[in-house]
Amino acid sequence: MSTRRTFLVAGAATAAAVAASTPARAAAPDRELRRILREIDPARVEAIVRRLVSFGTRHTLSAQDDPVRGIGAARDWIFAELERHATASDGRMTVEQQSFVQPVSPRVPVPTRITNVVATLRGSVTPERIYVVTGHYDSRVTDVMDAVKDAPGADDDASGVAVIMELARVFATRRPEATLVFAAVAGEEQGLYGSDHMAQAYKDAGADIQAMFSNDIVGTGNAHDGTRNDPRTVRLFVEGVPTSETPAEATTRKSTGGENDGPSRQLGRFVKDVEPDEMNVRIVWRRDRYLRGSDHISFLLRGYPAARFTEPRENFNHEHQDVRVENGVQYGDLPEFCDFGYIARVARVNAAALWSLAQAPGTPKGVVIDATQLTNTTTLRWQPGTEPDLAGYEVVWRETTAPDWQHSLPVGNVSTVTVDLSKDNVLFGVRAVDTTGHRSPAAAPKP
């Protein structure tokens, strides 16, 4: 196998390289993905949301041993359902309760057991490569410390839990090449505690998590506030500068650019590229909503690419509110304000992203630009991938003012390439391609 390839053309070399490139689009959905999308069922989504609401409250500080009310009852039901789905996997899916005791903290007045329910579907080809999707099953009312009042939490976040549970059901019979993790996490409303524990456990184990998605408040495209319904849009929040960036990395970034090229931003570009036709993923270039946060931040803090799905416009009368009618206005996070067809469509967006990620080669690692010499060409190097169906790589680039990749140039199964394009003028990435045309997210180079 050649390890180096050069694209140098005398004269108008830059124009020639651009002319040889193609638009930087991902492959169309494969047949199996189309089947997966068809199997996601709004009626099952509705049943999950209503069952979670039926536990009265799922507050983190509520009862853990009551069989019908409180977070313990919800935990046990989620676990049983995921175990039932796992029986269809021929042993490939395992389900666990990941428990720990959270010490006293601002929103946890006494040491409290917090439990994540995690279903792991082992990859068939590269199981060490992991993609995680979560929803949080705890809920709250106006007073974040009130563990007694009814806290239905239909939109926030039974909707996200319905997404991951329906995905687990549909994916259990599949054989993704990489490992997929479907997790219902707890403690989000009290301080992201469940996801923080989960992310740290992965970090301690040296897990190769290449993407994580939080589904939090994905219940409806209708804000029920008189604004126009937007049933085909879901927001995806993706940071640019990594949360985990070190001072040394910040210094390098300032001298090379790349504010819009962190791993999570590349993940957002990938999701947009593979979105189902029935939905529009609106990419928002922020870590999360203004001054707010969700469980993906726990993964960002550990250096994992992560993003957050949420509905296009929130109605705050139906979030973090006591259930009541006041001046003729209904408050509370009730299921009648959810659109179960919308939640199913969000699940399909997640499914398209997860399947496309798992079936493609992993994101290239160790991508660098050779900056040892001053030159108007650009030499890129990266670590060769190990996937058995790896066909090669593509160099992608765009103008510095463009939000998305504009050009793609196949360079073969190599680990070094030189193109006659100046690193001063454009932004580069490298992505892997398999023998059936699945493409990985791009990796932006470092010097």
Side-chain angles (χ1 to χ4, degrees), residues 20-21 74 126 129 138 141 149 187 200 263 270 288 292 308 310 319 326 361 406 428 434:
S21 71
T126 53
R129 184 162 51 99
D138 59 306
V141 289
K149 288 193 185 78
Q200 187 60 48
F270 182 92
D288 206 321
R292 298 164 72 193
R308 182 246 175 91
T310 201
E319 291 179 24
E326 192 172 290
Q406 297 171 304
F428 285 100
D434 71 11

Side-chain angles (χ1 to χ4, degrees), residues 52 56-62 69 71 107 136-158 187-192 216-217 289 292-293 316-324 331-334:
L52 288 169
T57 178
R58 305 187 305 277
H59 194 283
T60 297
L61 305 177
S62 63
R69 182 179 175 85
I71 196 166
R107 291 185 175 185
H136 72 86
Y137 70 99
D138 59 306
S139 62
R140 60 163 290 186
V141 289
T142 306
D143 179 359
V144 71
M145 303 302 290
D146 187 340
V148 177
K149 288 193 185 78
D150 280 354
D155 194 358
D156 185 12
D157 185 35
E188 192 271 351
E189 301 290 5
Q190 306 309 110
L192 311 183
D216 193 356
I217 311 177
R289 301 145 306 158
R292 298 164 72 193
F316 302 107
N317 291 345
H318 304 144
E319 291 179 24
H320 299 183
Q321 291 282 351
D322 293 347
V323 178
R324 67 194 190 280
Y331 290 83
D333 191 354
L334 299 164

Side-chain angles (χ1 to χ4, degrees), residues 34 60 71 80 99 240 242 290 322 425:
R34 291 194 293 271
T60 297
I71 196 166
S99 294
Y290 204 78
D322 293 347
N425 298 337

Side-chain angles (χ1 to χ4, degrees), residues 91-106:
R92 296 186 307 279
M93 179 180 283
T94 57
V95 185
E96 65 173 316
Q97 293 192 27
Q98 184 186 70
S99 294
F100 64 99
V101 174
Q102 173 60 39
V104 173
S105 61

